[in-house]
Amino acid sequence: MRRLRRIVAAAKDDRRHAENGEIAELRAALAEQAAEIERLRATLEHRTAWLEDHGKALRDGDARISTVEDRQAALDARQGALDGWLGGHDTAFEGLHLRTENLEAARDVRTFTHWIDQHELLAAPKISIVLPTHDRAALLPRAVASVLAQRYDNWELVIVDDASSDSTPKVIAGFEDPRIRSIRVEHGGVCAARNAGLAEVTGDVVAYLDDDNTMHPLWLKALGWAFGEHPEITAAYGGFVIDDIGGLPTLFLRRYDRKTLERENLADIGAVAHRAGLPEARFDESLVEMGDWDLLLALTADRAPLVVPAISCYYTTTSGDRLSHGPTYDDDFAAIRRKHSGPEHRV
């Protein structure tokens, strides 16, 4: 009987120890959750303060945008706010609204940005940037300046003047860096202009920039690493920041999934890059505003791209004559779905 009592007592002790261990684990988990809640509260306060300081003024300014000069001033204001965040590594991403898969993806971007800034590349492929432009003489210098500010030297910029009728030719003539060259083509739209640029590139890798956007200063270095260290890849894409959604800059970075890509675009053209000379790297000139989606689908038909955890560009929404969600949106969307989706998804 005494032995039975000892066994029962030992069992109770073991159960108490196990319960104490579970309680300790629960307490630790609660402490972690409390710390996360406090971090989120601080982030919310930071974003609210930014919205009060910048968002209202910028939105009020949008109501007064009626000229190219006004639009340029709005771009400058928003870019200045973005530069303030993205100039640092530890706090740069706290003010960004995140449209990533999860917080880990955002942390990957921050970690990689810091690493690539400090890292010396073993290989430095030549990167060609194709930049089409049409009647945006006031915006073009800012886009070109963002290329000149790259922390990567082995590049060329091919500007394609899509028959501009303003002072764009004079602006282009003022660019003195020998790595910048230009061609002028008959007006055929942005996809035709990009194809004309592709015919002129001499680099190993091709990247893109629109004339109303600006390139993150580490994007070309990130691409140099991606294509230099990963000879197996033919295409890549990264994240991009839209200047103002609900008063906050928004970081977009999505992992690659073919079925998702068949339903929706995962990257802006400024976030897409590929090796030069690929037969599938050509824009469908029948499309007006979704050439980037069509290109990414073509580039990844047989092989997934490398998703680079870096910011490629700042996507601005204040410039005039933008193509996004224009009158051809539905027609382009339907055309791409017919072209690339499986029969079960076609419209």
Side-chain angles (χ1 to χ4, degrees):
M1 182 64 69
R2 262 191 238 139
R3 182 179 176 192
L4 179 59
R5 285 184 187 137
R6 284 198 300 273
I7 292 173
V8 172
K12 289 181 178 178
D13 288 341
D14 289 342
R15 189 165 56 251
R16 274 198 302 272
H17 289 313
E19 290 173 349
N20 288 338
E22 291 176 357
I23 291 171
E25 290 178 1
L26 287 172
R27 285 175 176 169
L30 287 172
E32 290 180 2
Q33 289 179 1
E36 180 66 9
I37 290 171
E38 178 60 25
R39 187 192 68 77
L40 291 173
R41 184 194 63 77
T43 299
L44 179 60
E45 289 182 355
H46 178 85
R47 292 175 180 174
T48 302
W50 183 90
L51 180 58
E52 292 174 352
D53 292 342
H54 299 279
K56 185 177 184 300
L58 291 175
R59 289 196 302 274
D60 290 346
D62 285 349
R64 297 189 297 273
I65 292 174
S66 58
T67 67
V68 172
E69 291 74 17
D70 290 336
R71 289 194 293 270
Q72 185 64 50
L75 285 171
D76 290 342
R78 289 183 178 178
Q79 187 71 39
L82 287 168
D83 290 343
W85 277 314
L86 297 172
H89 297 300
D90 296 329
T91 61
F93 295 87
E94 293 179 4
L96 291 175
H97 177 56
L98 305 175
R99 291 282 182 90
T100 59
E101 295 297 331
N102 47 48
L103 287 176
E104 285 70 28
R107 295 189 187 105
D108 287 346
V109 172
R110 180 170 57 185
T111 300
F112 182 80
T113 299
H114 177 77
W115 179 83
I116 198 67
D117 192 24
Q118 305 296 321
H119 186 67
E120 293 295 329
L121 300 184
L122 297 178
K126 183 179 179 180
I127 302 177
S128 300
I129 307 107
V130 174
L131 195 167
T133 189
H134 175 72
D135 285 350
R136 281 180 168 171
L139 300 179
L140 184 60
R142 186 178 185 85
V144 173
S146 73
V147 178
L148 292 169
Q150 291 297 300
R151 297 174 200 166
Y152 184 89
D153 294 330
N154 194 16
W155 56 263
E156 68 170 357
L157 174 61
V158 178
I159 302 173
V160 184
D161 181 1
D162 187 23
S164 294
S165 58
D166 63 359
S167 61
T168 293
K170 183 177 179 180
V171 170
I172 292 175
F175 298 134
E176 297 180 351
D177 193 296
R179 294 171 294 181
I180 301 174
R181 54 198 177 89
S182 67
I183 59 173
R184 183 175 173 88
V185 296
E186 294 183 4
H187 187 43
V190 67
C191 287
R194 287 175 183 147
N195 283 336
L198 285 172
E200 296 291 325
V201 301
T202 62
D204 307 298
V205 174
V206 179
Y208 299 92
L209 181 63
D210 285 342
D211 56 10
D212 58 342
N213 296 338
T214 54
M215 188 176 285
H216 187 282
L218 289 171
W219 178 233
L220 293 188
K221 189 174 183 182
L223 291 180
W225 167 83
F227 287 93
E229 297 291 327
H230 294 273
E232 75 282 3
I233 69 167
T234 57
Y237 71 83
F240 59 101
V241 173
I242 294 185
D243 62 348
D244 186 7
I245 293 182
L248 290 171
T250 302
L251 168 62
F252 286 79
L253 178 61
R254 303 278 299 279
R255 68 170 177 263
Y256 179 78
D257 178 82
R258 181 70 187 184
K259 290 184 178 180
T260 301
L261 183 61
E262 289 175 351
R263 296 192 304 270
E264 58 181 294
N265 198 357
L266 297 177
D268 177 68
I269 190 61
V272 175
H274 56 83
R275 296 197 185 275
L278 299 177
E280 63 271 26
R282 182 169 178 81
F283 290 87
D284 185 341
E285 297 181 13
S286 69
L287 300 172
V288 177
E289 58 177 291
M290 294 188 182
D292 54 354
W293 187 15
D294 179 68
L295 178 71
L296 188 55
L297 279 162
L299 291 172
T300 59
D302 299 317
R303 180 181 298 181
L306 178 69
V307 181
V308 183
I311 294 175
S312 61
C313 65
Y314 308 119
Y315 181 98
T316 58
T317 59
T318 56
S319 55
D321 301 322
R322 297 177 65 245
L323 293 175
S324 297
H325 294 278
T328 63
Y329 179 89
D330 291 338
D331 289 341
D332 279 10
F333 185 89
I336 290 175
R337 291 293 299 275
R338 287 193 299 268
K339 184 176 179 180
H340 294 284
S341 299
E344 69 277 12
H345 297 297
R346 289 179 183 169
V347 294

